[in-house]
Amino acid sequence: MHRGSLFRHADFRRLFAGDTASQFGVFVGNTAVPLLAAVTLAATPFEMGLLTAAETLAFLLIGLPAGVWVDRMRRRRVMLTADFTRAALLLSVPAAWWAGVLTLAQLLVVVLFVGIATVFFDIAYQSYLPSLVGREHLLEGNAKLQAVQSTAQIAGPSAAGVLVQLVTAANTVLVTGLGFLTSALCLLRIRAREPGPRHDGHARLLPQIAEGLRFVFSDRPLRAIVGTTATANFFNGAFVAVNVLFLTRTVGLPPAAVGALMAVGGAGGILGAVCSGAVTRRVGQSRAIWLVPLVTAPAYLLVPLAAPDWRLGLSGFGLVASGFGIIIYNIAQVSYRQAICPDRLLGRMNASVRFVVWGTIPLGGLLGGALGEGLGLRGAMWVAVAGEAAAVLWVVCSPLRHMRDLPTAAKSDSAAA
């Protein structure tokens, strides 16, 4: 294949279609579930913090062993199981609402187990792409999939806000469940035979976990990437915990307007995905990891200025600019991780990274809930965005500053050991 040709790759098109359905469902759910808790179930700031924590607690609970298990299984099968599981769990929410028995406790349990399934899906997903399209197409593949995510980030929250007003938040969760079901059906149509997992005999769990962690933390650029992403996610967890309450109670926006504002960041994300190839060619693939977010991260500080007047535009601009930087950073850093890692360690490498960078989110969610109670919703937002903006310092102060492009080959197993 040649540059720009992945849409002529039939199996990539099926993965792309499934990802489109799944991402649309995710971003509908990211708006509908907090609105369901805040508006319908009258959740407090602390309860919203618990909800944010429950969504990502699984990365702390099982993130590391999940990487070992994924490396022992066919990755597409793991993804299919996760999609069907998430669909079933989320479809239980409108069913309980129709029966008049939906509670915040059930919502917490559902998002916790959806999070467990997501751990397995995400680790398998990032480990599956190199074998499906080849390492030489990783930047192109990641850019196209990030464009899907950014488009869904615009369409999903906007649609969710409108649907919540028209058919209630519980019924809107149906869309999320159906998105995961559609994703599974697309994955079933992939024809390529996935290479079988490498069997390490009776290798024990803990040494295999340690091998993945050692690989991640022995590479200085990768260690800095983990530091930046973990810090940003910690403060983003605080942001997410209070954002819906801030927009509905402090700013006074209706659900449709909340969805529209939350979608605005996706516009910057789409622009970032479209421009990622040109930007990385201009500044270098490694420099894109630190230079682009360094320029765009200060825009976070505009977000808490939101008010029901012209200042809402400032907040929206902050979301667009920061979204642009986040997507280019993500495309570049995920491609770096995939490029340097041997195939047999991809699951454990991705699991080790996710354990740290997603494991900080539930802690941030609890912090956001506590800050919302103690400092007020706007005060909590200021702390959250300041922390997100400062997260880029990890990569700015790393060896990535002296590199231009990504490695062209994975490290050898001896180097990884």
Side-chain angles (χ1 to χ4, degrees):
M1 290 183 293
H2 304 286
R3 181 181 293 277
S5 65
L6 275 183
F7 280 137
R8 296 198 294 271
H9 188 304
D11 283 332
F12 179 79
R13 287 200 306 270
R14 295 177 182 116
L15 179 68
F16 185 88
D19 186 56
T20 300
S22 176
Q23 292 292 346
F24 185 80
V26 164
F27 283 101
V28 168
N30 283 352
T31 303
V33 171
L35 281 173
L36 177 62
V39 177
T40 307
L41 300 179
T44 67
F46 182 71
E47 288 171 336
M48 294 294 285
L50 287 178
L51 187 65
T52 301
E55 289 175 338
T56 49
L57 184 61
F59 284 95
L60 280 176
L61 297 178
I62 62 164
L64 290 176
V68 176
W69 296 327
V70 167
D71 277 339
R72 293 176 178 176
M73 296 180 281
R74 293 191 186 273
R75 286 148 185 171
R76 185 171 72 112
R77 186 177 301 168
V78 174
M79 293 158 65
L80 284 166
T81 303
D83 268 342
F84 283 125
T85 300
R86 291 187 290 184
L89 286 165
L90 286 163
L91 292 174
S92 75
V93 172
W97 172 254
W98 298 333
V101 295
L102 181 65
T103 63
L104 185 65
Q106 178 186 341
L107 207 57
L108 288 168
V109 171
V110 166
V111 299
L112 173 63
F113 283 96
V114 166
I116 291 173
T118 297
V119 168
F120 283 96
F121 183 92
D122 284 357
I123 293 169
Y125 179 77
Q126 290 191 342
S127 305
Y128 183 57
L129 185 64
S131 68
L132 186 69
V133 304
R135 291 178 184 272
E136 68 274 19
H137 296 287
L138 284 176
L139 274 171
E140 182 190 351
N142 283 320
K144 285 178 166 56
L145 295 173
Q146 284 286 351
V148 168
Q149 184 182 63
S150 299
T151 303
Q153 191 175 354
I154 287 180
S158 299
V162 173
L163 287 170
V164 166
Q165 286 197 311
L166 293 177
V167 299
T168 75
N171 288 328
T172 303
V173 177
L174 265 174
V175 177
T176 300
L178 294 175
F180 290 129
L181 185 60
T182 304
S183 172
L185 296 177
C186 291
L187 291 173
L188 281 171
R189 298 184 63 242
I190 292 178
R191 305 292 186 201
R193 182 173 176 80
E194 182 184 353
R198 174 173 166 173
H199 295 288
D200 293 322
H202 299 288
R204 290 177 298 169
L205 184 66
L206 290 180
Q208 289 194 298
I209 290 174
E211 187 179 14
L213 286 168
R214 188 163 57 248
F215 179 88
V216 169
F217 288 101
S218 65
D219 184 88
R220 288 183 62 200
L222 185 52
R223 193 163 64 232
I225 288 169
V226 169
T228 285
T229 311
T231 303
N233 282 353
F234 174 76
F235 286 102
N236 186 253
F239 178 93
V240 170
V242 296
N243 187 40
V244 169
L245 292 180
F246 170 69
L247 294 175
T248 56
R249 297 180 186 176
T250 302
V251 183
L253 299 181
V258 171
L261 186 62
M262 291 175 69
V264 163
I270 289 178
L271 185 62
V274 170
C275 296
S276 63
V279 170
T280 54
R281 284 192 297 272
R282 184 66 177 259
V283 305
Q285 296 162 337
S286 293
R287 290 176 187 164
I289 296 175
W290 66 269
L291 182 58
V292 175
L294 178 64
V295 172
T296 59
Y300 280 119
L301 301 175
L302 297 174
V303 176
L305 297 175
D309 53 30
W310 61 272
R311 286 170 289 180
L312 203 59
L314 284 179
S315 180
F317 176 79
L319 291 171
V320 170
S322 57
F324 176 86
I326 287 169
I327 294 302
I328 291 182
Y329 166 80
N330 278 336
I331 291 169
Q333 64 93 359
V334 168
S335 298
Y336 177 87
R337 285 158 44 187
Q338 292 168 331
I340 67 168
C341 187
D343 285 340
R344 72 178 192 87
L345 278 173
L346 276 168
R348 278 168 283 172
M349 179 276 291
N350 284 319
S352 298
V353 171
R354 288 298 180 102
F355 171 75
V356 179
V357 305
W358 285 79
T360 60
I361 297 177
L363 304 178
L366 294 175
L367 173 67
L371 290 174
E373 299 277 5
L375 298 180
L377 296 172
R378 196 181 296 272
M381 291 284 286
W382 277 114
V383 173
V385 299
E388 285 195 71
V392 69
L393 295 177
W394 287 90
V395 286
V396 169
C397 299
S398 79
L400 288 164
R401 214 156 40 88
H402 308 292
M403 300 165 58
R404 189 183 192 282
D405 292 307
L406 300 181
T408 57
K411 290 184 177 182
S412 66
D413 279 349
S414 60

